[in-house]
Protein backbone atom coordinates (compact mmCIF):
# COMPACT_ATOMS: atom_id res chain seq x y z
CA UNK A 1 0.00 0.00 0.00
CA UNK A 2 1.08 3.59 -0.43
CA UNK A 3 1.63 6.13 2.26
CA UNK A 4 -1.28 7.84 3.99
CA UNK A 5 -0.54 10.98 1.95
CA UNK A 6 -1.05 8.94 -1.22
CA UNK A 7 -4.39 7.72 0.16
CA UNK A 8 -5.44 11.33 0.69
CA UNK A 9 -4.47 12.20 -2.88
CA UNK A 10 -6.46 9.24 -4.21
CA UNK A 11 -9.48 10.32 -2.18
CA UNK A 12 -9.12 13.94 -3.26
CA UNK A 13 -8.70 13.04 -6.92
CA UNK A 14 -11.60 10.61 -6.76
CA UNK A 15 -13.81 13.32 -5.29
CA UNK A 16 -12.82 15.65 -8.12
CA UNK A 17 -12.88 13.18 -11.01
CA UNK A 18 -15.98 11.09 -10.31
CA UNK A 19 -18.66 13.79 -10.54
CA UNK A 20 -16.92 15.60 -13.40
CA UNK A 21 -16.55 12.43 -15.46
CA UNK A 22 -20.06 11.18 -14.69
CA UNK A 23 -21.48 14.46 -15.96
CA UNK A 24 -19.19 14.45 -18.99
CA UNK A 25 -20.03 10.86 -19.93
CA UNK A 26 -23.78 11.53 -19.72
CA UNK A 27 -23.37 14.58 -21.95
CA UNK A 28 -21.29 12.63 -24.49
CA UNK A 29 -23.73 9.72 -24.64
CA UNK A 30 -26.75 12.02 -24.91
CA UNK A 31 -25.05 13.85 -27.78
CA UNK A 32 -24.26 10.57 -29.55
CA UNK A 33 -27.86 9.37 -29.24
CA UNK A 34 -29.12 12.75 -30.46
CA UNK A 35 -26.89 12.47 -33.54
CA UNK A 36 -27.80 8.82 -34.16
CA UNK A 37 -31.37 8.45 -32.84
CA UNK A 38 -31.60 4.76 -33.72
CA UNK A 39 -29.24 4.10 -30.80
CA UNK A 40 -32.07 5.12 -28.47
CA UNK A 41 -33.88 1.95 -29.51
CA UNK A 42 -31.02 -0.16 -28.17
CA UNK A 43 -31.83 -0.45 -24.49
CA UNK A 44 -28.26 -1.25 -23.52
CA UNK A 45 -26.52 1.49 -25.51
CA UNK A 46 -26.80 4.47 -23.17
CA UNK A 47 -25.71 2.59 -20.05
CA UNK A 48 -22.83 0.90 -21.87
CA UNK A 49 -21.74 4.20 -23.41
CA UNK A 50 -22.01 5.98 -20.08
CA UNK A 51 -19.89 3.41 -18.24
CA UNK A 52 -17.21 3.19 -20.96
CA UNK A 53 -16.81 6.95 -21.38
CA UNK A 54 -16.80 7.51 -17.63
CA UNK A 55 -14.05 4.91 -17.12
CA UNK A 56 -11.86 6.50 -19.78
CA UNK A 57 -12.48 9.96 -18.38
CA UNK A 58 -11.77 8.90 -14.78
CA UNK A 59 -8.54 7.19 -15.79
CA UNK A 60 -7.28 10.26 -17.60
CA UNK A 61 -8.47 12.64 -14.89
CA UNK A 62 -6.95 10.54 -12.11
CA UNK A 63 -3.62 10.29 -13.91
CA UNK A 64 -3.50 14.04 -14.42
CA UNK A 65 -4.68 14.77 -10.88
CA UNK A 66 -1.97 12.60 -9.30
CA UNK A 67 0.91 13.82 -11.46
CA UNK A 68 2.41 15.79 -8.60
CA UNK A 69 3.03 12.54 -6.68
CA UNK A 70 5.82 11.43 -8.99
CA UNK A 71 9.16 11.72 -7.26
CA UNK A 72 11.27 14.25 -9.13
CA UNK A 73 14.61 13.19 -10.51
CA UNK A 74 17.41 14.49 -8.35
CA UNK A 75 19.31 17.28 -10.02
CA UNK A 76 23.07 16.88 -10.20
CA UNK A 77 24.99 18.64 -7.47
CA UNK A 78 26.28 22.02 -8.47
CA UNK A 79 29.97 22.06 -9.32
CA UNK A 80 32.12 24.05 -6.92
CA UNK A 81 33.28 27.38 -8.27
CA UNK A 82 36.72 27.42 -9.83
CA UNK A 83 39.49 28.88 -7.70
CA UNK A 84 41.80 31.36 -9.35
Amino acid sequence: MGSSAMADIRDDCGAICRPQCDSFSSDVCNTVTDIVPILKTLGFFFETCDVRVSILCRTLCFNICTLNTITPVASPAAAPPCKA
Side-chain angles (χ1 to χ4, degrees):
M1 293 291 243
S3 67
S4 62
M6 186 63 181
D8 291 343
I9 291 169
R10 283 193 301 255
D11 293 342
D12 292 345
C13 290
I16 293 167
C17 294
R18 276 186 207 101
Q20 294 295 322
C21 288
D22 288 347
S23 175
F24 173 75
S25 63
S26 291
D27 292 345
V28 167
C29 296
N30 281 325
T31 300
V32 169
T33 56
D34 287 344
I35 293 170
V36 186
I38 196 150
L39 295 174
K40 291 178 183 177
T41 64
L42 303 174
F44 62 87
F45 179 78
F46 186 85
E47 185 176 353
T48 302
C49 175
D50 193 46
V51 168
R52 303 276 176 152
V53 173
S54 184
I55 289 169
L56 293 171
C57 177
R58 286 181 191 192
T59 301
L60 178 62
C61 180
F62 193 79
N63 285 335
I64 292 169
C65 182
T66 59
L67 278 176
N68 66 344
T69 62
I70 297 173
T71 305
V73 176
S75 60
C82 295
K83 293 185 179 182

